[in-house]
Amino acid sequence: MAGCPSCGSADKHGSQSGPFSTGRELVEFVCSAHDGTVKDQLIDDGGYETTCQGCNASFTLTTFVGKCPKCGGVHAIAPVHKSAEHIQFAGKDFVLS
Ligand SMILES: [Zn+2]
């Protein structure tokens, strides 16, 4: 199956968003990648330690799309990236569907 977010190719996703998008665009991209099967997958090695970009609470992102346990802020990282610095924040008013 082409257009996998793990391979870095964005040209099969039908829009300009892709694994190198930022902010909400990236979060929405990961949410919809592979019909929504990517977002709940566990990240290798237990996930990434990060700081919530909404409330500054520390938490561990264990799936490719995850929420801050304190404020519920939605964060995501594309599987193609391998470090916490690539985690994107969807914004305070974003709610997972
Ligand atoms: Zn938070």
Side-chain angles (χ1 to χ4, degrees):
M1 187 169 181
C4 177
S6 298
C7 72
S9 171
D11 59 9
K12 294 285 184 185
H13 291 277
S15 75
Q16 293 182 334
S17 62
F20 299 100
S21 297
T22 56
R24 180 173 304 195
E25 206 169 280
L26 185 278
V27 176
E28 290 179 335
F29 168 78
V30 180
C31 281
S32 61
H34 287 209
D35 298 321
T37 59
V38 170
K39 66 176 171 28
D40 295 323
Q41 281 180 26
L42 288 172
I43 295 167
D44 290 342
D45 303 323
Y48 301 113
E49 295 282 337
T50 189
T51 301
C52 176
Q53 293 171 46
C55 73
N56 286 324
S58 295
F59 73 103
T60 304
L61 187 70
T62 55
T63 53
F64 290 112
V65 178
K67 287 183 191 175
C68 166
K70 195 169 174 186
C71 73
V74 179
H75 295 66
I77 187 167
V80 68
H81 297 302
K82 300 297 180 192
S83 67
E85 69 197 67
H86 293 289
I87 290 172
Q88 300 293 321
F89 177 48
K92 289 185 177 181
D93 57 345
F94 183 86
V95 178
L96 279 179
S97 55

